[in-house]
């Protein structure tokens, strides 16, 4: 099958060919014809499967046949959870629409809103946006959706995880009921299906990747290490194997900063991206990493969302994620589009349970490796695989409202310049989260349990059940 057989115009095919593509991926082969037929689509596809082009190409084809956007109007809206992902999608729209007379724009927080207002007032055919900044612009009445033809929710699962459900509902209430709806997600979870009930109409369902599956092209390995020696071991792996373009995941923002600084001190050019970095700093860090001037990029889960780097060869879990599913998303950064990649995890004794949860989830035991001279006091036993799904029988499914990433995004939301003059009740997280340095995990309002937890703990007497020490 070729792109030409999917019903795309010569102008789009020329742009696709210029990018070096001739055969559509599985998601593209199924999604493009359905979108061109005007049907609503629910597509489940992991990162790296070509889903962005899967909706961008047919969207451009449809819009190219209609009337151009009038002043202040938007014909197609693409909502993304993070700034970096928004920038990535906007780049795809511009690339594949290079030979078409269509106008596009991208809007997200962390940058001046005035240029965005000026662009939107002239009208755009395709608008890529993060929910928070889009609602800011709607409040200023600089755009109208009365001509909207297509709505696309990209990475809908992350939208929900990051607390955008209320913002999404507000946006949906402003859109015309007669429109085409496309929803792309990593999985068809119960939450996604619930959201879909009020969004898509008799959709075509497409699923090209088994849930929680890892790509066969990714070589996975774990190293048992002492927590205190993780940095030196990572440095040794990078230098010994001459690794370049290494994406390293840290559990915290401070940990990411510290690791990048320590790698720099050891002669390895490294940058860090997370929600506490300014938008310009994150953009520069990602650009340096893509260009190869930075050998290592240390990121939090939120920041890494939306990173799209061709042929990214190495992913390292400096800290294992608290949520097993995030391991799948992390290593999905490499081994994309059939390319090979390596995923290495440094596991301390405190993380053995997290490792076992991951292995049960992906239904495989990850190869154990060691480094001479860095033998730890602990070993990494293999998990009991009889409990499927990654959890023991008595394990309760983690409440997504309490995800660590959500609280991190919550902290980042308070840093948004445009939110400072708003009451805390009305503030919105906008892709300030961390996605490749992008706006990443905005957060769920309902996720914000920090105040509640602290207040409840303050009301409890920690010594209430203590017994007085017997006198000698």
């Amino acid at each position: 099958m070729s792109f030409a057989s999917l019903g795309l115009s010569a102008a789009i095919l020329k742009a696709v060919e210029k990018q070096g593509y001739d055969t559509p991926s599985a998601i593209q082969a199924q999604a493009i014809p359905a979108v061109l037929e005007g049907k609503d689509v629910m597509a489940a596809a992991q990162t790296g499967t070509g889903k962005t082009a899967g909706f961008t190409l047919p969207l451009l084809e449809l819009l190219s046949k209609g009337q151009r956007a009038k002043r202040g109007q938007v014909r197609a809206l693409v909502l993304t959870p993070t700034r970096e992902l928004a920038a990535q999608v906007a780049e795809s729209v511009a690339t594949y629409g290079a030979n078409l007379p269509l106008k596009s724009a991208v809007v997200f927080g962390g940058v001046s809103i005035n240029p965005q207002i000026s662009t939107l007032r002239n009208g755009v055919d395709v608008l890529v946006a993060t929910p928070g900044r889009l609602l800011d612009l709607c409040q200023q009445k600089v755009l109208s959706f009365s001509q909207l033809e297509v709505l696309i929710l990209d990475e809908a699962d992350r939208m929900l995880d990051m607390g955008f459900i209320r913002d999404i509902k507000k946006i949906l209430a402003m859109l015309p009921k007669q429109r085409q709806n496309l929803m792309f997600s990593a999985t068809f979870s119960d939450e996604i299906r619930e959201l879909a009930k009020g969004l898509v109409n008799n959709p075509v369902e497409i699923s090209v990747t088994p849930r929680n599956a890892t790509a066969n092209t990714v070589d996975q390995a774990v190293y048992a290490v002492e927590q205190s020696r993780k940095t030196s071991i990572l440095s040794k792996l990078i230098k010994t194997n001459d690794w370049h373009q290494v994406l390293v995941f840290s559990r915290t923002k401070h940990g990411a900063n510290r690791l990048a600084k320590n790698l720099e001190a050891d002669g390895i050019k490294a940058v860090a991206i997370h929600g506490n970095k300014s938008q310009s700093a994150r953009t520069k860090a990602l650009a340096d990493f893509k260009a190869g001037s930075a050998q290592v990029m240390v990121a939090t889960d939120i920041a890494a969302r939306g990173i799209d780097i061709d042929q990214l060869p190495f992913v390292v879990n400096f800290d294992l994620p608290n949520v097993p599913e995030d391991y799948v998303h992390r290593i999905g950064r490499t081994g994309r589009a059939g390319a090979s990649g390596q995923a290495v995890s440094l596991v301390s004794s405190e993380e053995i349970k997290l490792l076992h949860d991951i292995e049960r989830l992906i239904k495989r035991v990850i190869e154990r490796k060691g480094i001479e001279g860095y033998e730890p006091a602990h070993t990494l036993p293999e998990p009991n695989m009889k409990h499927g799904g990654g959890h023991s029988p008595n394990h309760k499914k983690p409440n997504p409202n309490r995800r660590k990433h959500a609280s991190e995004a919550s902290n980042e939301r308070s840093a948004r310049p445009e939110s400072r003059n708003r009451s805390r009740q009305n503030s919105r997280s906008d892709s300030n989260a961390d996605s490749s340095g992008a706006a990443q995990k905005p957060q769920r309002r309902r996720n914000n349990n920090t105040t509640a937890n602290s207040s409840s703990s303050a009301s409890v007497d920690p010594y209430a059940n203590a017994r007085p020490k017997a006198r000698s």
Side-chain angles (χ1 to χ4, degrees), residues 363-380:
K363 295 179 174 59
R364 62 176 289 186
V365 175
I366 304 173
E367 181 183 2
R368 272 66 170 161
K369 291 185 177 181
I371 301 178
E372 186 177 355
Y374 289 87
E375 295 80 4
H378 67 284
T379 59
L380 299 178

Side-chain angles (χ1 to χ4, degrees), residues 122-430:
N122 293 323
V124 294
D125 296 288
V126 183
L127 175 61
V128 185
T130 53
R133 177 50 64 90
L134 181 62
L135 286 174
D136 289 341
L137 290 161
C138 290
Q139 284 185 343
Q140 298 193 38
K141 302 184 184 304
V142 297
L143 73 167
S144 169
F145 296 115
S146 62
Q147 285 188 348
L148 189 81
E149 301 169 33
V150 185
L151 169 67
I152 300 172
L153 291 188
D154 192 14
E155 299 208 0
D157 55 330
R158 282 295 170 177
M159 291 269 212
L160 299 184
D161 284 346
M162 295 163 66
F164 280 133
I165 184 61
R166 290 178 62 189
D167 285 352
I168 290 175
K169 288 182 177 179
K170 289 180 181 179
I171 293 170
L172 292 179
M174 295 185 287
L175 307 182
K177 293 184 178 180
Q178 294 300 319
R179 63 177 190 268
Q180 185 177 8
N181 302 287
L182 313 178
M183 179 185 289
F184 286 75
S185 175
T187 63
F188 289 151
S189 65
D190 293 340
E191 294 81 4
I192 288 298
R193 291 192 178 279
E194 186 64 28
L195 174 61
K197 287 181 181 179
L199 178 65
V200 294
N201 300 307
N202 192 26
V204 173
E205 288 198 14
I206 300 170
S207 183
V208 299
T209 306
R211 182 174 184 175
N212 299 322
T214 54
N216 294 328
T217 53
V218 179
D219 180 21
Q220 303 174 60
V222 294
Y223 290 81
V225 301
E226 299 293 346
Q227 182 66 38
S228 60
R229 305 191 75 185
K230 280 190 175 184
T231 301
S232 60
I233 289 177
L234 175 59
S235 181
K236 181 176 179 61
L237 285 171
I238 292 172
K239 290 182 176 180
T240 301
N241 298 299
D242 193 27
W243 286 352
H244 290 273
Q245 275 203 314
V246 187
L247 176 59
V248 180
F249 284 94
S250 169
R251 188 175 294 123
T252 67
K253 292 175 285 187
H254 295 301
N257 284 338
R258 182 169 57 250
L259 178 56
K261 183 178 179 180
N262 290 338
L263 290 175
E264 284 274 356
D266 202 22
I268 299 173
K269 178 62 177 176
V271 293
I273 61 168
H274 50 69
N276 281 358
K277 297 278 189 179
S278 67
Q279 183 60 41
S280 59
R282 287 183 295 217
T283 300
K284 184 179 186 304
L286 182 57
D288 288 346
F289 184 60
K290 285 186 174 183
S293 56
Q295 190 173 352
V296 176
M297 182 163 68
V298 188
T300 55
D301 282 303
I302 297 177
R305 196 69 178 186
I307 290 179
D308 184 15
I309 302 171
D310 290 338
Q311 310 300 319
L312 178 65
F314 307 105
V315 169
V316 176
N317 292 299
F318 188 82
D319 302 308
L320 287 183
N322 290 327
V323 179
E325 289 81 358
D326 282 345
Y327 175 83
V328 178
H329 292 304
R330 286 181 176 188
I331 71 170
R333 300 290 108 194
T334 186
R336 300 166 70 107
S340 61
Q342 287 184 252
V344 169
S345 299
L346 307 181
V347 184
S348 66
S349 58
E350 296 85 357
E351 297 174 302
I352 293 177
K353 183 182 181 303
L354 295 177
L355 174 63
H356 287 174
D357 287 344
I358 289 168
E359 292 179 313
R360 293 189 188 104
L361 181 75
I362 64 176
K363 295 179 174 59
R364 62 176 289 186
V365 175
I366 304 173
E367 181 183 2
R368 272 66 170 161
K369 291 185 177 181
I371 301 178
E372 186 177 355
Y374 289 87
E375 295 80 4
H378 67 284
T379 59
L380 299 178
E382 294 186 2
N384 181 349
M385 302 296 285
K386 69 178 180 179
H387 302 310
H391 303 299
S392 63
N394 297 324
H395 182 87
K396 292 183 178 180
K397 185 177 179 180
N399 182 344
N401 292 338
R402 297 177 181 172
R403 292 169 67 100
K404 181 179 180 67
H405 305 332
S407 61
E408 178 179 4
S410 167
N411 295 334
E412 293 164 2
R413 183 185 343 178
S414 63
R416 289 176 57 210
E418 62 269 26
S419 297
R420 291 176 183 163
N421 296 326
R422 273 190 222 153
S423 66
R424 183 171 298 179
Q425 180 181 0
N426 294 328
S427 64
R428 283 183 290 278
S429 70
D430 114 321

